[in-house]
Amino acid sequence: MTTRDIDETVRAELNRLRESIDNIDAAVVHMLAERFKCTQQVGHLKAEHHLPPADPAREARQIERLRHLAESAKLDPAFAEKLLNFIIAEVIRHHEQIADQPDPPEQPA
């Protein structure tokens, strides 16, 4: 069976749901972009003060926090943890890149 063979009311409902999914996907992308803007600022602050790119204690707290949020939202906590681990790895990669950049020259006062 193809989507052309589906009853028109079913097709309309399918399209409505898919539009909602598309809107949610767009919101997720925009939220991730905002999150990475913040983590980039953290990376620059860490580099400026010679702090390590990773903070395992904070990461563990965040994972535990997200697992609890996922449970209360009826989302698989293991999935939420995998997603956050993926994001954390990307953040650490960015922080390492920032830390490896040469210091900008001092600006005259």
Side-chain angles (χ1 to χ4, degrees), residues 9-91:
T9 57
V10 174
R11 185 191 333 245
E13 180 67 2
L14 186 59
N15 287 339
R16 185 189 69 75
L17 291 168
R18 286 177 172 167
E19 286 176 12
S20 291
I21 291 167
D22 292 349
N23 289 337
I24 293 165
D25 287 347
V28 167
V29 167
H30 287 284
M31 292 300 295
L32 282 172
E34 285 301 311
R35 188 185 196 287
F36 278 104
K37 285 178 190 173
C38 291
T39 60
Q40 289 288 87
Q41 292 174 4
V42 168
H44 286 286
L45 189 61
K46 284 181 171 184
E48 183 180 330
H49 295 280
H50 307 286
L51 298 170
D55 184 345
R58 163 130 172 103
E59 293 155 19
R61 287 191 309 273
Q62 285 297 93
I63 289 168
E64 189 61 30
R65 180 178 158 271
L66 197 70
R67 287 184 66 88
H68 288 297
L69 288 171
E71 287 173 5
S72 67
K74 308 278 190 270
L75 179 68
D76 179 5
F79 169 77
E81 182 174 345
K82 286 178 194 175
L83 178 62
L84 188 59
N85 279 325
F86 180 78
I87 292 169
I88 288 170
E90 187 68 6
V91 168

